[in-house]
Amino acid sequence: MLYAIMTQDVDDSLSLRQGVRTEHLARLNALKDEGRLVMAGPFPAIDANDPGDAGFTGSLIVAEFDSLETAKRWADDDPYVSAGVTASVSVKPFKNVLP
């Protein structure tokens, strides 16, 4: 089943994000290589594709997992969580209707 993982960053998270971005992306690429990643990306802090120093306010990941608990464990093990980038994480079942 698909699950939406939505995170909210701590304030001024950009430098923390940059410090563990490579590890974060490696986990996402592993999901992609397994054919389980539907989409992933950050929420810019301002209305721009490249927010520069404004940074990001969180992220959205939609991916396939065996269960809600497995998705929660995966989200909790993310480098952004352990590095203190993430203030909160919400994981919910997701039903892709369109396209």
Side-chain angles (χ1 to χ4, degrees):
M1 178 164 194
L2 295 178
Y3 294 90
I5 300 169
M6 296 157 287
T7 67
Q8 180 69 38
D9 283 11
V10 298
D11 291 337
D12 301 316
S13 64
L14 186 58
S15 64
L16 293 171
R17 275 179 166 266
Q18 291 170 334
V20 291
R21 185 171 187 265
T22 300
E23 293 88 350
H24 171 76
L25 291 177
R27 296 180 81 235
L28 291 172
N29 279 315
L31 285 178
K32 184 182 99 179
D33 292 347
E34 294 167 6
R36 297 171 40 208
L37 183 65
V38 174
M39 73 167 94
F43 299 117
I46 60 173
D47 189 12
N49 279 327
D50 181 359
D53 290 340
F56 302 92
T57 61
S59 300
L60 170 66
I61 299 164
V62 178
E64 184 177 344
F65 293 93
D66 292 334
S67 67
L68 179 59
E69 285 306 313
T70 303
K72 286 181 178 180
R73 276 195 308 275
W74 187 91
D76 288 342
D77 288 340
D78 193 83
Y80 282 177
V81 172
S82 58
V85 173
T86 303
S88 65
V89 178
S90 174
V91 181
K92 297 181 178 188
F94 180 80
K95 182 177 178 180
N96 190 16
V97 175
L98 291 171

